[in-house]
Amino acid sequence: WKELVFCYMDERSWAEAGAIVTEALRLFPGEDGLRYAKAGILKGEGKFKEAEDIYRQLAADQPDNTVILGQLADCLEKSGKQGELENLYKKILEHDSGDVRALSRLMRIYQERMNELRDMTWFHRALELANRMVKLRPEAYYYIERGLLLSDVYRLDEALEDYHKAMEQEPDNMYA
C-alpha cells in the first residue's frame, strides 16, 4: 500500500494517491506512514491546513522526528503562518544541528527581522547560521545565501568572495 501511494505521489498523481491512501487507512487505521503520506498528498494538492493538522498529530506522537517537523514547517510557511516558524526551526536544530535546510530558513527569518528592525543583532545571529551552513555544505547555494546576507549590510568584499566561490563551483549558475 505505502509504496504504491508513494509512487503515485512521485508522479504527482494526487487523485490516485489519495484514493489509495484513503482505502489503506481504512484497512490500517492510524498507521503513521500512511498518515504521513496522506499529509503529503494534501500538501501536494495545496490543502495546507488539512496537511498541517495531520503533521501536528504526527509531531505530537513523534516529537523528535525532524522530517515531520520540517514538513509541518513547510505547511506553515506556505499558508503564511510565520509566527511559529522560528521556534519550529530551532526545535529541528536541537535534534539535528546539521540540518542545513532548517539553518537556511532560520537564517532568512533573522535576515528579514534585521532588515525590518534595522538591528544588527539579527545580522550576527543570521551570519552565525550562514557560516554553519557553508561549513556543513560548502556548496554554491549556501555561498550565495551568505553572500546575499552580507550584501544586505554592505559587507560587499565578503559577499563578492562568496559569489566568486559559488561561480567556481557552478559556473553555469546564473545566480552567483
Side-chain angles (χ1 to χ4, degrees), residues 42-176:
L42 292 166
K43 186 175 140 193
E45 294 175 323
K47 298 176 182 175
F48 302 116
K49 175 61 179 134
E50 294 171 58
E52 175 192 333
D53 291 342
I54 295 172
Y55 286 131
R56 283 189 189 282
Q57 293 166 5
L58 290 165
D61 296 341
Q62 302 173 49
D64 298 339
N65 187 321
T66 59
V67 173
I68 291 169
L69 296 173
Q71 293 298 325
L72 174 58
D74 270 355
C75 285
L76 294 173
E77 201 166 322
K78 288 178 178 158
S79 58
K81 297 180 179 177
Q82 304 298 318
E84 289 179 65
L85 288 175
E86 180 179 356
N87 288 333
L88 195 51
Y89 289 128
K90 285 180 178 179
K91 186 174 181 180
I92 291 169
L93 291 168
E94 283 173 17
H95 297 292
D96 181 2
S97 62
D99 186 321
V100 290
R101 189 167 179 274
L103 287 168
S104 175
R105 298 287 173 88
L106 187 57
M107 183 208 76
R108 287 187 203 156
I109 290 169
Y110 291 166
Q111 184 176 11
E112 288 173 17
R113 202 168 287 155
M114 170 198 78
N115 288 327
E116 287 171 16
L117 302 174
R118 305 252 185 250
D119 182 345
M120 289 299 285
T121 303
W122 296 107
F123 167 74
H124 294 293
R125 290 180 185 175
L127 183 60
E128 179 187 326
L129 298 174
N131 289 337
R132 282 174 55 195
M133 288 185 314
V134 168
K135 185 176 180 183
L136 289 165
R137 285 219 195 130
E139 299 169 5
Y141 180 85
Y142 299 108
Y143 281 115
I144 293 168
E145 287 268 289
R146 186 171 66 183
L148 291 169
L149 173 65
L150 292 163
S151 292
D152 276 357
V153 295
Y154 297 96
R155 287 172 60 171
L156 301 179
D157 289 341
E158 293 168 88
L160 286 169
E161 275 183 53
D162 279 347
Y163 297 144
H164 280 288
K165 288 177 184 174
M167 279 182 59
E168 289 168 14
Q169 290 184 357
E170 294 182 24
D172 296 333
N173 186 334
M174 65 176 245
Y175 292 103

Side-chain angles (χ1 to χ4, degrees), residues 1-9 13-43 45 54 58:
W1 290 97
K2 273 195 272 190
E3 295 309 322
L4 185 61
V5 169
F6 286 126
C7 191
Y8 277 116
M9 288 173 72
S13 299
W14 306 122
E16 291 87 348
I20 294 166
V21 82
T22 297
E23 178 62 19
L25 280 167
R26 189 182 64 72
L27 297 170
F28 309 100
E31 202 281 323
D32 285 347
L34 293 171
R35 290 175 26 198
Y36 179 81
K38 176 75 173 176
I41 293 164
L42 292 166
K43 186 175 140 193
E45 294 175 323
I54 295 172
L58 290 165

